[in-house]
Amino acid sequence: MRLLEYQGKQLFSEYGIPVPVSQLALDEQEALEASKKIGFPLMLKSQLTVGGRGKAGAIVKCSNESEFITKFNELLHKDVKGELPKGILVEGMINIAKELYVSLFLNRGKRCFTLISSNEGGVNIESVDSKIIIDLPHTGLSKELVQDLATRLGLEAKPATLFVDFILKLSHLVKDKEAELAEINPLAILSDGSCMALDSKVIIDDNSIFRHPELKKFQQVSELQARAEESGFSFVELDGNIAIIGNGAGLVMSTLDLVNDNAGKPGAFLDFGGRATTETIYQALEVISKIPRIKAILVNLFGGIVRTDLVAQAILNAYSDGIIGVPIYARISGAESVKAKEMLAGSRAKIYDSVEEAISSLMSHVSGSSS
Amino acid sequence: MTGKFDIFELLIGDPGERDYEKKPVIIQGITGNFGSAHARLMKAYGTNVVAGITPGKGGQDFEGIPVYNSVQEACKNVDAKISGIFVPAPFFLKAAKEALDNGIKLLVAIPEHVPVRDAIDVVEYAKSKNARIIGPNTPGVIVPEITKIGIMPHQPFKPGTTAVFSRSGTLMYEVSFHLSKAGIGQRIALGIGGDPINGTNLIEAFELIRHRDDVESVVIVGEIGGDAEEQLAEYIMKINFTKPVVGYIAGRSAPKEKTMGHAGAIIYGNYGSAESKISSFTNANVPVAKRPAEIPELLLRKMKK
């Protein structure tokens, strides 16, 4: 779960990590109140989960009230890479003496946490040469380790002390909240030597949320997503018109690639997992039926243990109940697949032996109906 | 780091041994829906399932398999070094440590949704006990026609000399199905797991078969997320791995910053992207199939060279 900037900063505050004064505004009224509290000049920051906000013009400075309202409304309705903001953070301006970069993240390859820091903050870290990389011992980050880091970053007495405190707090946060990433870019050193997190990028391990009820309020789940998750599906909505359903994340991804290679546009990724029953497949079709732009459904099911006649029954039920009105192209291999084919004969669902054949029929339908 | 861990010794043993090709396996969580269904299938396949564990259900019997309250209790009665864990994710940490504390050396961790912190804990703990984890979020491991510990259907797998290492479960079946159809059997197929943390990563999987004469080629089924494929490519070049290797990467068309079903399948910028993995493989002279069905052809071509 990727937290929005303001949510990450809420966590920072809880851990005593300094952040600028700020307030989230969802409408003009709230924005005006926030501006009065904070005072000009101030920053408006679009709350998005996609990266590259700065470059996309979704962070702007405001010097007075008249430009503030215009800019606020502009930002509120401006989408970045297809995402509309979940509010605008109104934030006080900070006088920065020096900018650092800090990131504490799960190092998958080394199976530990790694701290990357640099005294060139505020820019894209991938383009920075002077990075200091520390793999954390499993016992966690020690004070000595961070003191040494402060020295290597060239920090002087006061900022160094505050930096050590800052990083230790951040490391506690990552550990307690089971974050996979906490990145601060920039971490500002102010003229008085204090440290402040000007941005936040925090990702929480989704699989640990069950023991963090306090983080559930940060979850941004669409109605459809919630419905899919309730049924135990993995679901990602995409912008095309072909829904892709299958048993297994890798298989569905692979099918997505094949559709894409054949100039098809996937509109949904749905993995119903290892336990395919008549009921789960029916529920999967129900989820897909809520996306109006879907013109066809591609089912790729690799069986063996899965009984394909149960899948066929679910498809028949979905048609007879009027849940779906679009054709289904299915590659179903596995137990009882001959029976499944017989059951679906005469319905709007067609079964194929290979996914390649299913896609080619599907594509002629989709391109035929759109022209 | 990988030491001299011999998975074949554990899974099959030596011809002189009494339990050669019949190594005892215990199932943790045997009375749950999932555990019981697969314990039955494993047993039917020929896996020597000697005990099941479900706290509070000790003394029962699951289709001839005795059920115990704890691994400790089970291990007083049976001599198993292999466990398949089928407990729900929140109970995984405790179950895994219990197994490792009682002499289990190969732990096949089936559950999906294990928190990263628990997975790291367990992998570290296993290292300290000179044991090995496969998974979590793995379909398990199969040595065709000898034994399987996991949830994979047996139909796609045929005995042979290829090793299949896959980050995805269903794609492991799919790819093995295509290989078997083309007459390429498998000596072993092992699910790396779909999570960010893998008890046995791709490089460690390669180490398991590197010096074995009964494994002549390798198929890697990778996917977006992390940099395991990139690191594997470096390893292949560094040690000059000479057996033919073919790869496949799922998720070429996946959007960025979206978790694609597997907790580990997510792209951040270029990190974890399919392009990065494909170019690393190409660089290491590992051909990358565009479709699973293309793998046998690429492998046969590579084996002829």
Side-chain angles (χ1 to χ4, degrees), chain A residues 68-325:
Chain A
F68 175 74
I69 295 298
T70 321
K71 285 183 174 171
F72 176 83
N73 283 312
E74 262 174 37
L75 267 197
L76 196 60
H77 300 104
K78 179 188 174 76
D79 82 88
V80 176
K81 297 173 192 165
E83 185 182 335
L84 277 169
K86 298 165 188 80
I88 307 293
L89 191 66
V90 183
E91 189 169 84
M93 287 283 290
I94 300 297
N95 289 315
I96 304 167
K98 184 178 173 61
E99 289 184 328
L100 305 178
Y101 170 95
V102 169
S103 172
L104 186 53
F105 67 97
L106 171 70
N107 189 328
R108 295 169 55 152
K110 291 185 176 164
R111 294 183 282 233
C112 69
F113 277 81
T114 295
L115 178 67
I116 294 192
S117 53
S118 165
N119 51 20
E120 293 176 60
V123 292
N124 183 2
I125 192 67
E126 281 169 23
S127 61
V128 170
D129 293 327
S130 62
K131 286 186 277 250
I132 301 172
I133 300 171
I134 301 171
D135 293 333
L136 268 57
H138 288 280
T139 47
L141 201 53
S142 69
K143 194 172 177 180
E144 293 69 33
L145 217 54
V146 195
Q147 277 167 338
D148 177 54
L149 174 63
T151 313
R152 288 169 71 189
L153 285 168
L155 298 177
E156 285 157 19
K158 185 183 174 191
T161 312
L162 293 170
F163 176 82
V164 171
D165 182 56
F166 186 107
I167 297 297
L168 289 175
K169 282 172 174 161
L170 185 69
S171 133
H172 285 142
L173 184 156
V174 166
K175 189 162 179 252
D176 292 352
K177 302 297 178 191
E178 302 192 54
E180 288 181 13
L181 168 83
E183 181 190 75
I184 300 173
N185 188 24
L187 186 167
I189 308 283
L190 313 190
S191 45
D192 67 355
S194 58
C195 296
M196 195 176 259
L198 296 199
D199 196 1
S200 87
K201 181 175 175 182
V202 177
I203 298 173
I204 305 288
D205 175 10
D206 288 316
N207 290 337
S208 75
I209 301 284
F210 73 91
R211 52 191 176 203
H212 294 286
E214 78 282 6
L215 296 177
K216 283 199 177 127
K217 61 175 188 274
F218 293 145
Q219 271 175 324
Q220 310 262 348
V221 182
S222 71
E223 210 177 303
L224 210 51
Q225 186 82 39
R227 214 187 154 111
E229 279 172 17
E230 226 169 83
S231 302
F233 305 149
S234 300
F235 174 74
V236 180
E237 199 174 338
L238 304 162
D239 49 16
N241 55 10
I242 301 164
I244 300 165
I245 302 181
N247 58 337
L251 184 70
V252 181
M253 261 192 277
S254 157
T255 313
L256 215 70
D257 295 343
L258 289 176
V259 167
N260 209 58
D261 289 345
N262 285 278
K265 299 222 170 338
F269 164 106
L270 193 153
D271 162 23
F272 54 75
R275 274 160 282 188
T277 61
T278 305
E279 201 185 11
T280 50
I281 307 289
Y282 187 89
Q283 284 170 349
L285 293 171
E286 246 183 335
V287 168
I288 296 301
S289 73
K290 307 287 176 202
I291 314 172
R293 61 172 183 280
I294 296 299
K295 286 210 172 113
I297 300 172
L298 176 62
V299 176
N300 191 0
L301 202 156
F302 191 89
I305 288 164
V306 175
R307 288 219 354 236
T308 57
D309 54 329
L310 300 181
V311 180
Q313 191 56 52
I315 292 175
L316 288 176
N317 293 352
Y319 277 126
S320 66
D321 294 350
I323 297 290
I324 42 169

Side-chain angles (χ1 to χ4, degrees), chain A residues 2 49-51 105-113 126 138 175-178 180 201 203 205-208 210-212 234-238 247-251 253-258 260-261 266 269 271 274-275 300-305 331 333 335 355-356, chain B residues 34 38 41 90 113-118 120 123-124 127 151-153 155-156 167-168 170-171 173-174 177 195-201 204 223-227 231 248-255 257-265 268 271 290-293:
Chain A
R2 160 96 191 250
T49 56
V50 293
F105 67 97
L106 171 70
N107 189 328
R108 295 169 55 152
K110 291 185 176 164
R111 294 183 282 233
C112 69
F113 277 81
E126 281 169 23
H138 288 280
K175 189 162 179 252
D176 292 352
K177 302 297 178 191
E178 302 192 54
E180 288 181 13
K201 181 175 175 182
I203 298 173
D205 175 10
D206 288 316
N207 290 337
S208 75
F210 73 91
R211 52 191 176 203
H212 294 286
S234 300
F235 174 74
V236 180
E237 199 174 338
L238 304 162
N247 58 337
L251 184 70
M253 261 192 277
S254 157
T255 313
L256 215 70
D257 295 343
L258 289 176
N260 209 58
D261 289 345
F269 164 106
D271 162 23
R275 274 160 282 188
N300 191 0
L301 202 156
F302 191 89
I305 288 164
R331 176 273 183 136
S333 86
V355 67
E356 286 85 354
Chain B
F34 206 38
H38 287 287
L41 289 166
H113 304 305
V114 171
V116 159
R117 188 169 78 189
D118 297 0
I120 293 179
V123 175
E124 279 301 303
K127 264 191 211 160
I151 58 172
M152 68 288 280
Q155 296 90 336
R167 285 178 59 194
S168 147
T170 331
L171 281 181
Y173 320 156
E174 173 90 284
F177 163 76
D195 282 354
I197 297 296
N198 312 124
T200 301
N201 63 28
E204 287 156 350
E223 65 185 26
I224 54 162
D227 59 1
Q231 296 198 7
Y248 173 76
I249 303 291
R252 278 183 283 121
S253 60
E257 300 208 8
K258 295 265 187 215
T259 306
M260 301 303 282
H262 286 153
Y268 297 110
Y271 179 73
K290 259 201 131 179
R291 300 175 290 125

Side-chain angles (χ1 to χ4, degrees), chain B residues 50-68:
Chain B
V50 294
I53 287 94
T54 301
K57 300 222 167 148
Q60 295 184 9
D61 176 277
F62 173 77
E63 298 178 7
I65 305 166
V67 179
Y68 298 94

